Amino acid sequence: MDATSECEPLFLGLDLSTQQLKGVLMNQHSSIVYEMGIVFDDELPEFNTSNGRYVNGDTVTAPVLMWVAAVDLFMSRLKATGLAPYIHGISGAAQQHGSVYWRQQGVEANKQLDPHVSLRQQLETANAFAVLESPIWEDYSTGEQCRNLEQSAGGASALARITGSTAFERFTGPQIAKIKETQPHVWSQVSRISLVSSFIASLLVGDITPTDSSDASGTNLYDIQQGRWSLELCDSIDPHLVQLLGERVVMANDIVGQLSSYYTERYGIPRCPVVAFTGDNPSAFAGFESMFAAAGHSAAVMSLGTSDTVLFPLEKYPYSLNASSVAMQHLDGHVLQHPTDRNLYIAMLCYKNGSLARDWVREHSLGSSSTWADFSNAADIEPMAPKAFGFYYLSTEILPRAKGIYRFEQRADGSIVSPSGTRYQPVTAFSVSDHPGDSRWSDARAIIESQFMSMCVDYAHKEAGAMTGIAITGGASSNPTLQQAVSDIMGVPVFATAIQTTEGVDIKAPAMPAYGGAIRALDQQSMSLTANMSKDGSKYMLKHIRSPNNRKHAVYVQALADFEFLRNCVSSGVCSSGACP
């Protein structure tokens, strides 16, 4: 970065994920001029975490002081770059659902930080936190609390109508209830509760900041339609819980305070606005949405990684009292408040069997020495649907609730009859297809059709508007065969994040939750651009990479009803995994 660009206003976006604290600096042209990450296992080894957390059976936690130490380390390195004095706004994100439990002395210590002493040392000395190991999103130890919460609401559908989700073990409400029930001596010391996102904002402001509505939607405690904590649900856990959480809930583009003087005096960052932090998924969505607006498309985002996730906007709340029976019959997935628009919502669909399942299929169907190029070659064939379908749930899937490997083929004597009258037979291996070339049907093709057709089914259940484009991200998103399959099955153009270089446009993705934070910090500023403002840095945009094959898309549209029928058979146990090994 040259001297001219160093003089321009910069905006810091942070993301405290499970494994690291990431940050990006953005200029007023939305270009990324600096990126940095603090990997917890590598750079804070004294906490002895594995991938940033502790795992004890179904209980998964992370040390709060590790997060505090990461903020110290990040700010120290930021100061060393010489860029800290040019920061004009900060926002960001954090892993969803986790929670932090403040003692009152911690609240007070955070207000009176000494710039000559590290953040970690001061909060550790003050014994700031009642719970030193925070429950995080991977924790599945709260089944009993989930059942109690649904009962308090009047059932699973009633809870979903209020909060956008049925009860989930990893959500914050059940986690809070478990701590109160199992650690009453600890609970009696809790003065305030932050989500991980509002916790980071609280450290920066030097005071407890409010939770944003989008991240609050991942607690099973927030009344989305009313825009406030549900008194009924909170009181079912503790009559003071609303006060512990903080009655005020904000949008993710609201300013929640000014940067604490601690960071000005210790790290040289000017006092500047701190915009609300939100969950990593809503923040990433906001970042993609800014790119979609420039591309003239509505935002839908698919992340293809260890697990697969789809996020898309909703113009109306699908679980309102006048909602259709279709939406209320399909309560899977989550509905969140849109991070920056009070009149919109986001649907989030999560699938546990993502890249690990694709990798299992590659190894078991093509051999342990096979490559992803081999997988792509096997999958790059004509549609198998509706003549054959496969379902690959190595771990108990979220959407649908099922486990096992299942394969079906059309057979005149098939034992399973779909509503269309088509007969299907469970099989242990696919036979040879009859399309030109006589290529062999493959598990590689079947799994990607199954995964993306599932997303189509679940998208329709949320009664979203017509999708006009989808951005793909995540480790598997660079696979050309997967890219084309997404486009053909969804029937929309596929985009990827890219940067303009001197040699053209390169596909590259920033840390999207942090990018979304920087965008929100930038949007809160109304400073006019100067004539000598530099445009150095990585300007991210959406690049159109795939278009649907209309003939193939028509095949998938016609096959979708039979696919959904068979998926329901699998999830209801009509076809046992023993019959379809």
Side-chain angles (χ1 to χ4, degrees), residues 535-576:
K535 294 187 179 181
D536 288 352
S538 300
K539 174 72 173 180
Y540 284 91
M541 64 191 76
L542 287 178
K543 177 178 171 61
H544 179 196
I545 57 172
R546 301 288 166 184
S547 295
N549 179 307
N550 292 331
R551 175 184 60 82
K552 292 181 179 180
H553 177 59
V555 171
Y556 291 116
V557 171
Q558 292 296 319
L560 207 57
D562 280 0
F563 171 83
E564 183 174 5
F565 166 76
L566 290 173
R567 193 180 80 155
N568 290 340
C569 289
V570 166
S571 62
S572 64
V574 171
C575 177
S576 68

Side-chain angles (χ1 to χ4, degrees), residues 302 304-308 310 349 351-359 361 372 375 389-394 397 399-400 443-458 476 482 485-486 489-490 560 563 567:
M302 179 187 296
L304 301 175
T306 303
S307 60
D308 293 340
V310 183
L349 309 174
Y351 303 88
K352 186 183 295 184
N353 293 276
S355 285
L356 292 182
R358 290 186 286 269
D359 190 45
V361 165
W372 283 108
F375 177 92
F389 296 103
F391 301 87
Y392 304 82
Y393 306 133
L394 278 68
E397 186 51 83
L399 286 170
D443 286 305
R445 183 69 195 182
I447 189 173
I448 62 177
E449 289 189 2
S450 176
Q451 290 175 332
F452 301 148
M453 290 179 77
S454 270
M455 295 172 186
C456 286
V457 168
D458 298 322
L482 267 65
V486 170
I489 294 171
M490 298 287 185
L560 207 57
F563 171 83
R567 193 180 80 155

Side-chain angles (χ1 to χ4, degrees), residues 521-537:
L522 169 61
D523 287 347
Q524 274 294 340
Q525 301 298 304
S526 57
M527 295 175 293
S528 60
L529 299 178
T530 60
N532 65 350
M533 192 72 69
S534 168
K535 294 187 179 181
D536 288 352

Side-chain angles (χ1 to χ4, degrees), residues 274-446:
V274 176
V275 178
F277 279 48
T278 186
D280 50 4
N281 286 306
S283 188
F285 183 84
F288 275 110
E289 200 167 47
S290 69
M291 297 182 191
F292 266 109
H297 289 269
S298 61
V301 180
M302 179 187 296
S303 175
L304 301 175
T306 303
S307 60
D308 293 340
T309 304
V310 183
L311 297 104
F312 50 92
L314 299 171
E315 293 187 358
K316 61 180 182 180
Y317 188 64
Y319 307 145
S320 63
L321 288 174
N322 59 354
S324 75
S325 59
V326 173
M328 289 306 299
Q329 288 172 6
H330 300 281
L331 300 174
D332 299 315
H334 312 297
V335 177
L336 313 176
Q337 171 68 60
H338 189 284
T340 60
D341 190 329
R342 294 182 185 276
N343 299 314
L344 296 178
Y345 308 92
I346 297 175
M348 183 167 68
L349 309 174
C350 301
Y351 303 88
K352 186 183 295 184
N353 293 276
S355 285
L356 292 182
R358 290 186 286 269
D359 190 45
W360 183 90
V361 165
R362 176 192 59 78
E363 184 170 319
H364 282 73
S365 65
L366 301 173
S368 59
S369 61
S370 63
T371 65
W372 283 108
D374 297 328
F375 177 92
S376 296
N377 289 334
D380 191 14
I381 60 175
E382 286 290 302
M384 292 174 60
K387 296 179 181 179
F389 296 103
F391 301 87
Y392 304 82
Y393 306 133
L394 278 68
S395 301
T396 301
E397 186 51 83
I398 301 170
L399 286 170
R401 291 278 183 176
K403 184 175 182 178
I405 310 300
Y406 307 82
R407 301 177 184 89
F408 301 90
E409 287 185 4
Q410 283 186 11
R411 297 272 182 89
D413 59 348
S415 60
I416 300 174
V417 184
S418 76
S420 69
T422 306
R423 289 184 174 272
Y424 288 92
Q425 182 64 30
V427 297
T428 58
F430 292 119
S431 62
V432 176
S433 71
D434 59 2
H435 68 75
D438 206 31
S439 297
R440 185 171 181 81
W441 283 337
S442 71
D443 286 305
R445 183 69 195 182

Side-chain angles (χ1 to χ4, degrees), residues 27-280:
N27 66 19
Q28 282 192 287
H29 301 283
S30 305
S31 295
I32 301 299
V33 300
Y34 187 76
E35 300 181 61
M36 176 171 56
I38 305 295
V39 179
F40 301 141
D41 289 4
D42 296 340
E43 303 193 62
L44 296 168
E46 64 269 28
F47 291 98
N48 295 311
T49 55
S50 174
N51 295 318
R53 76 276 199 263
Y54 303 135
V55 180
N56 182 16
D58 289 337
T59 301
V60 185
T61 60
V64 184
L65 288 171
M66 179 183 71
W67 296 337
V68 174
V71 172
D72 266 331
L73 184 56
F74 183 95
M75 294 301 180
S76 296
R77 293 184 180 174
L78 182 61
K79 178 181 179 181
T81 68
L83 299 174
Y86 307 108
I87 295 175
H88 283 242
I90 304 173
S91 188
Q95 53 184 284
Q96 290 188 262
H97 313 307
S99 45
V100 175
Y101 301 80
W102 296 84
R103 286 190 170 97
Q104 184 58 38
Q105 56 262 44
V107 175
E108 296 303 321
N110 191 41
K111 292 179 181 179
Q112 305 168 23
L113 295 172
D114 181 347
H116 300 100
V117 183
S118 74
L119 191 61
R120 173 187 174 183
Q121 182 178 339
Q122 293 182 75
L123 295 181
E124 189 171 21
T125 300
N127 202 15
F129 306 110
V131 178
L132 291 177
E133 297 178 11
S134 287
I136 63 170
W137 67 274
E138 292 180 274
D139 188 284
Y140 272 81
S141 65
T142 59
E144 180 181 350
Q145 289 74 25
C146 286
R147 291 189 292 271
N148 293 341
L149 196 59
E150 288 185 340
Q151 184 176 5
S152 297
S157 60
L159 183 64
R161 194 183 293 280
I162 297 169
T163 70
S165 302
T166 57
F168 274 82
E169 289 86 351
R170 64 182 181 273
F171 274 32
T172 322
Q175 297 292 343
I176 293 172
K178 179 189 172 186
I179 287 175
K180 183 188 176 182
E181 293 168 13
T182 62
Q183 303 180 65
H185 61 293
V186 169
W187 181 256
S188 66
Q189 302 171 43
V190 176
S191 175
R192 290 295 302 270
I193 301 174
S194 296
L195 300 191
V196 182
S197 58
S198 58
F199 167 68
I200 297 300
S202 299
L203 291 180
L204 296 176
V205 170
D207 201 357
I208 303 299
T209 62
T211 301
D212 94 286
S213 57
S214 195
D215 213 10
S217 304
T219 63
N220 275 145
L221 297 174
Y222 184 69
D223 189 326
I224 294 181
Q225 295 181 88
Q226 298 299 318
R228 62 173 184 249
W229 298 112
S230 167
L231 187 62
E232 174 188 6
L233 296 174
C234 289
D235 282 356
S236 74
I237 296 175
D238 188 280
H240 304 293
L241 183 53
V242 170
Q243 287 71 39
L244 294 175
L245 291 166
E247 291 189 25
R248 183 183 173 212
V249 180
V250 299
M251 299 300 291
N253 55 351
D254 287 343
I255 295 173
V256 293
Q258 296 291 310
L259 184 68
S260 166
S261 60
Y262 172 82
Y263 300 92
T264 302
E265 297 178 38
R266 185 173 179 85
Y267 299 114
I269 306 173
R271 296 294 299 277
C272 63
V274 176
V275 178
F277 279 48
T278 186
D280 50 4

